[in-house]
Structure formats: C-alpha cells, structure tokens
Amino acid sequence: MFEKSQRPKKRLFLALVLISVLLLAGVVYLLWHIMAPGLGNISSYLPAIVGGLILLLLVFSLFALFLMALVVAGVPLFRLFQGMAWKFVNVFFPLAVFFGRLFNIGKERIERSFIALSNHLFQQKKIIVAPERLLLLLPHCLQRGDCPYKITQDVDNCRQCGGCRIGDLLRICRAYGVNMAVAPGGTLARKAVMSIRPKAVLAVACERDLTSGIQDVFPLPAFGVLNERPNGPCFNTVVDTQLVEKTIRRIIGRGDDYGKPA
C-alpha cells in the first residue's frame, strides 16, 4: 500500500494547543474554586497566592501561543522570541497529542503538523552552517532490504548501484562536503549526532521518528523531510533526493531562496 504524505497544516498543532490550554485552565480554575475555602483555613493569603500562580501560568501559556501564531503568520520576531517559540512547540507537543486523541485526531496527523511548524521555525531563523557541520541523518529503511552491503556502520560500503536512494544521497553529500549517517533506530541516531557534533541536522524519516528525533536533539536545530513508503512502513522507503539537495543547499548557504517553503 502506498503511503503518501499529505500536505501538513501547521494550524492544526496550534489549534490543539489552544484548546488544550483553555480546557486545562477551566479544570484548574474549577479545582482552585473547590480548594479555595480549605486553603483559606490555612492562610487568608493562600487562595490569592495559588490563584495568582495559576493566572500567571495561563498568561504565560497564552503568550507562548501568541508567539507561535506570529511565527506561522510569518511575522518577523527577535531571535530571543524565535527561540522561545521553538521551545514552546516542543514543550506543548505531548499536550497536543493527548487532546488530539480526545477529538479523534490521529497522532500521525499531529506529528506532521508539528514537523511542519518546526521546519517553519528553522527556516524563519535562516540557519546557515558550514557543510562539515551539517549532518544528513537517514533511516536504515531507505536501503533496499535485500542489499548485502551494510551501511549503518560505514556509509562508504554503499556500492551506489542505483537500487535505492542511498547512493544518490551519498553523492550529494560528497559533492557538498556534508556528513551523512544511516541509523536503524533512535539510539544509533543519537550516537551519530554525539560523534559528529553537528551544528544542524537534516533528518529523513517517518512522522514518528522525525518527531521524536527533533525533540531529542533540541535545542540543536533539526529540519525534517518525510520519507514515502510505497512498500509499507520501515521497508524499502524512498525520499525526494532533489528536495534533500535543495534543503542542503539552503542550510549551507548555497541556496538563493531561503525562507520559501521547502
């Protein structure tokens, strides 16, 4: 079965976070209202102090949402606010998934929205690094399942026979001087990041692995490109190599259209 990625919508993630914050605020207010008399028996100031802290948390959450909404709208922000918005996107992800389930919204759809928003922040920050400080991180499933040459330890074992996209991506990385690693799972992916110590990561994977990977390496900037699964998940997957090369050129400062959608 061919699994084609739908065009992700960044607004879905923001909408879920907004609904989550408002629902949580309502629940917390109700709890505070019930507990206030008991808190008042302890100290006459305690209900006001607890209420003030709750209000402060709500205002802070709404401010975070406001920053993320400005980013999605393309409003230029100071680098400090861009960094805060990026951090909030990662912090709010579990909340969005939890409340997405309540509204019967699939986790994969929320993950695509999260990746699109994270990529948008990456582009808005106009991150540019030297080629040798960029890591192209690929999933093992891009290699043909029947290939006898294992490349997870050494990508140079690839014979570039054209049977999969690994050879094309290896040629692109060599042409630009970019690091490339192939990992069969999150543990080896993190090991590759720690070993190479890049300043930015361009990762290719499915929704689940990209989402967890972007969060794992944060605050290291990571741009995600979804793979396609013509043979189902985790087997003989493919990726648009032109899109990968175009994104590499942008990140190493050789593209002339940074800021446009990848």
Side-chain angles (χ1 to χ4, degrees):
M1 180 180 175
F2 186 85
E3 296 186 11
K4 187 175 180 62
S5 297
Q6 300 174 7
R7 185 175 178 80
K9 294 183 182 300
K10 299 182 282 290
R11 289 171 296 182
L12 171 64
F13 185 82
L14 288 180
L16 280 175
V17 173
L18 175 60
I19 293 170
S20 306
V21 169
L22 293 179
L23 285 176
L24 277 178
V27 171
V28 172
Y29 172 76
L30 184 61
L31 289 174
W32 174 82
H33 188 69
I34 294 172
M35 295 169 58
L39 294 173
N41 291 332
I42 300 173
S43 169
S44 59
Y45 298 106
L46 206 50
I49 293 173
V50 174
L53 290 174
I54 293 172
L55 182 62
L56 186 64
L57 186 61
L58 176 62
V59 170
F60 183 75
S61 299
L62 292 176
F63 174 68
L65 269 169
F66 178 66
L67 283 182
M68 289 190 283
L70 289 179
V71 169
V72 170
V75 177
L77 298 176
F78 292 115
R79 292 185 68 85
L80 173 63
F81 288 151
Q82 288 178 349
M84 290 175 67
W86 206 342
K87 190 169 187 177
F88 293 146
V89 168
N90 285 276
V91 168
F92 281 127
F93 176 73
L95 202 62
V97 171
F98 176 78
F99 281 94
R101 285 176 181 158
L102 298 182
F103 295 104
N104 200 29
I105 299 174
K107 185 178 179 181
E108 196 170 273
R109 190 176 163 200
I110 300 171
E111 288 170 337
R112 283 198 295 270
S113 181
F114 166 82
I115 293 164
L117 184 53
S118 179
N119 285 349
H120 186 77
L121 284 162
F122 187 107
Q123 289 182 304
Q124 194 176 65
K125 286 171 73 72
K126 294 181 170 54
I127 293 171
I128 295 178
V129 302
E132 64 273 16
R133 303 307 301 271
L134 174 63
L135 169 63
L136 176 62
L137 190 56
L138 305 173
H140 181 252
C141 57
L142 276 181
Q143 186 183 30
R144 283 187 61 87
D146 58 355
C147 181
Y149 302 103
K150 301 306 176 188
I151 55 173
T152 52
Q153 294 296 325
D154 186 359
V155 293
D156 290 327
N157 286 336
C158 176
R159 297 302 189 266
Q160 302 181 43
C161 65
C164 67
R165 306 293 170 87
I166 294 292
D168 292 336
L169 294 170
L170 186 57
R171 279 191 289 273
I172 291 171
C173 285
R174 285 175 174 170
Y176 293 106
V178 171
N179 296 289
M180 174 174 147
V182 179
T187 301
L188 288 183
R190 286 188 288 274
K191 184 179 177 182
V193 172
M194 292 179 65
S195 173
I196 296 172
R197 294 187 177 280
K199 284 195 172 181
V201 175
L202 171 56
V204 176
C206 61
E207 288 85 351
R208 183 194 62 185
D209 289 350
L210 273 184
T211 301
S212 61
I214 289 172
Q215 292 179 311
D216 281 351
V217 302
F218 184 82
L220 181 68
F223 192 97
V225 175
L226 288 169
N227 61 3
E228 295 180 351
R229 285 87 69 177
N231 301 291
C234 307
F235 183 71
N236 289 352
T237 62
V238 297
V239 68
D240 184 343
T241 54
Q242 290 185 339
L243 173 60
V244 173
E245 182 176 8
K246 185 177 180 181
T247 308
I248 285 176
R249 288 179 57 83
R250 285 175 172 175
I251 299 175
I252 64 175
R254 298 188 188 179
D256 56 1
D257 54 352
Y258 214 135
K260 294 181 181 178

